[in-house]
Amino acid sequence: MTMNWAKIRQVAAREWREFATINSSDRPWQMPFAAAIAAGLPLLVAAAFGRMAEGMIVSLSGFVFLYLPATPLHHRMGALMAFCFGMICCFTLGAFAHVMPIARAPLTTLVAIFATMICRYYRVGPPGSLFFIMACAIGAYTPGAWSDIPFRTGLLAIGCIHTLLIAYIYSIFILARRPADAIPPAPVAGFNRVWFDSIVIGLFIGLSLSLAEALSLEKPYWVPISCLAIIQGVSLRAVWNRQVHRIAGTAIGLLLTWGMLPFVENGWIVATMVMGLIFLIETAIVRHYGFAVIFITPVAILLAEAPTLGHGDTDALVAARFIDTLLGVSVGFVGALCLHNPVFRTRAGRWLRPLIPERMIEGD
């Protein structure tokens, strides 16, 4: 019995060290500041004209800034334009899914598969495909009709132009102070990392949203986001750490949101809060994921619920997002167990590989 308690204390101490570890970072403070401007400035303009619903859509483009590589200017701007195009496509597909509810889960699955595949093929680091799936999910649950889709797509495109301008100014500034990284070598479309993992991740994200729809959860845009945040860990230890961080951070973040929402009286406050929170997120996320999640939660709620904030039940909104998180991380954890199980990979890979032309597979 003494030995068992000793093992329990040892495991608990190890888990606490993993949870409490704070990583070092050399990220310049100007990067979080520019990210906050990219996402927050459209909201300030929207607040001035009383058009927060439109401002939320434009503000989504600001998250593309987070994909800005540290390469030479010509390469980083070209890459960011490609990411802008991807964001527009994902949001537009989500908007189509809204007016065709039966297509929400299938379209979200396809977006998750292809967004993850492209990010893995080009070795895009964190946040990976997260914000592309987020754009699709928010688009799928933003009220609107067929006639609204071209207008909203145009708004997001305008926002992308704004983000590219912010990124260009930031790049000129930072490249004068820091040397650029080398342009990465040509990518390789390996079967396991690019094809197999992306398809499995996409299918589990689609499953999480299908379960949310089957359970009649209201506006469950947070479910696929939570699922992806867990399933894309590079190892089971990383997956477990992210699950613990995600649940703990979301719980605290929802308490923070619950305390903040009574003070959200107008668009100016929403814009100011979003800018401040994004600055905190991008400063903290490279140091401690769980701490950053505390602020990610209110940002997502402020953006997705911006048009209706102040007119609904705050308690019900917070409770719904917590249920979304539990469902998303649960499905994501099961998906991660499958991804890191050699037997599953062997059997599923044996079935999947013949479906992909050999000329499209390189390496493994």
Side-chain angles (χ1 to χ4, degrees), residues 88-352:
I88 293 169
C89 290
C90 292
F91 178 80
T92 304
L93 287 172
F96 276 114
H98 176 78
V99 295
M100 295 185 297
I102 196 172
R104 280 176 183 162
L107 277 177
T108 302
T109 301
L110 290 175
V111 166
I113 290 174
F114 286 107
T116 304
M117 195 175 292
I118 291 170
C119 287
R120 284 175 172 252
Y121 179 69
Y122 287 104
R123 303 187 188 94
V124 176
S129 57
L130 179 65
F131 289 112
F132 299 105
I133 296 171
M134 177 178 168
C136 177
I138 290 179
Y141 291 96
T142 299
W146 283 103
S147 57
D148 296 320
I149 295 176
F151 174 65
R152 291 177 175 179
T153 301
L155 286 174
L156 189 58
I158 292 172
C160 286
I161 295 172
H162 157 74
T163 299
L164 287 168
L165 178 61
I166 297 294
Y168 183 76
I169 296 171
Y170 167 77
S171 297
I172 293 293
F173 174 85
I174 207 67
L175 287 173
R177 290 157 177 79
R178 292 190 173 201
D181 292 347
I183 298 174
V188 176
F191 172 75
N192 287 310
R193 185 174 185 276
V194 175
W195 289 95
F196 182 85
D197 287 7
S198 299
I199 291 172
V200 172
I201 289 171
L203 289 175
F204 272 95
I205 288 172
L207 174 62
S208 71
L209 190 57
S210 297
L211 289 174
E213 293 278 352
L215 294 171
S216 300
L217 300 184
E218 184 180 1
K219 297 178 68 176
Y221 56 86
W222 198 241
V223 174
I225 300 169
S226 299
C227 180
L228 176 67
I230 299 302
I231 200 174
Q232 65 182 357
V234 296
S235 65
L236 279 179
R237 162 54 62 181
V239 168
W240 175 255
N241 288 344
R242 277 182 170 267
Q243 185 181 38
V244 173
H245 287 188
R246 190 81 189 179
I247 294 175
T250 298
I252 299 172
L254 286 171
L255 288 175
L256 176 63
T257 305
W258 181 76
M260 289 169 53
L261 289 182
F263 300 97
V264 180
E265 299 176 351
N266 54 58
W268 295 104
I269 296 176
V270 171
T272 303
M273 285 183 173
V274 167
M275 294 175 73
L277 289 168
I278 289 178
F279 182 84
L280 288 173
I281 291 166
E282 292 310 310
T283 300
I285 198 164
V286 291
R287 293 177 169 86
H288 193 279
Y289 179 75
F291 183 70
V293 170
I294 294 174
F295 306 110
I296 291 173
T297 303
V299 163
I301 292 176
L302 286 170
L303 287 177
E305 309 288 343
T308 58
L309 286 176
H311 305 290
D313 186 343
T314 300
D315 294 344
L317 176 62
V318 170
R321 296 296 78 82
F322 188 67
I323 292 171
D324 293 347
T325 300
L326 289 179
L327 178 59
V329 298
S330 298
V331 176
F333 188 67
V334 173
L337 290 176
C338 293
L339 270 180
H340 296 284
N341 184 289
V343 176
F344 174 84
R345 294 187 70 90
T346 299
R347 293 181 178 178
R350 190 182 301 127
W351 175 83
L352 180 61

